[in-house]
């Protein structure tokens, strides 16, 4: 007996909080998978960077945030959500990269 997974109801078609929660939960699972993949790139960066002092790169932080803000505007995501979420993601990613850098040296 196989289980059939149905796609969540699109936000504009939701009429119940159950539908909203199912949609959010489905997206959260996708986001976790994407963030895990992003973390593997941080692991690669820790492996590639020649010294600990180049892990934090202020220019790159602002480059990432700028690109995110552009994409957020394009897709209709509030910058009040996008910018602080990505700044926190970047800071946590830097901390993780430093942890990996230290552990592998």
């Amino acid at each position: 007996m196989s289980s059939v997974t149905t796609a969540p109801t699109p936000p504009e078609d939701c009429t119940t909080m159950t539908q909203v929660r199912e949609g959010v939960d489905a997206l959260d699972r996708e986001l976790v998978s994407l963030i895990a993949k992003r973390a593997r790139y941080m692991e690669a960066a820790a492996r590639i960077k020649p010294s600990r002092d180049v892990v934090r790169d202020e220019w790159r932080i602002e480059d990432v945030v700028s690109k995110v803000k552009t994409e957020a505007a394009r897709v209709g995501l509030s910058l009040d959500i996008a910018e602080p979420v990505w700044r926190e993601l970047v800071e946590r990613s830097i901390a993780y990269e430093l942890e990996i850098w230290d552990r592998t040296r």
Side-chain angles (χ1 to χ4, degrees):
M1 184 183 254
S2 65
S3 65
V4 176
T5 303
T6 60
T9 304
E12 59 277 4
D13 295 339
C14 288
T15 58
T16 68
M17 284 307 299
T18 298
Q19 290 172 320
V20 169
R21 290 177 180 133
E22 288 170 350
V24 168
D25 291 347
L27 287 171
D28 284 347
R29 287 188 297 274
E30 289 181 53
L31 287 168
V32 166
S33 178
L34 290 170
I35 292 169
K37 186 174 183 178
R38 190 181 196 283
R40 289 191 295 277
Y41 280 105
M42 298 305 94
E43 293 165 7
R47 175 175 41 81
I48 293 167
K49 288 182 180 175
S51 67
R52 193 178 197 279
D53 63 334
V54 298
V55 169
R56 180 176 198 86
D57 182 342
E58 295 299 329
W59 176 89
R60 178 63 178 149
I61 293 168
E62 294 310 314
D63 180 53
V64 168
V65 171
S66 175
K67 290 172 183 172
V68 165
K69 287 167 64 175
T70 298
E71 183 64 9
R74 188 184 74 77
V75 301
L77 174 60
S78 168
L79 294 181
D80 290 338
I81 295 173
E83 184 170 1
V85 166
W86 255 267
R87 286 195 183 277
E88 184 67 21
L89 177 61
V90 167
E91 288 303 320
R92 298 291 176 134
S93 296
I94 290 167
Y96 180 65
E97 187 179 334
L98 285 167
E99 175 188 322
I100 297 299
W101 201 96
D102 289 344
R103 190 176 344 137
T104 58
R105 299 302 193 282

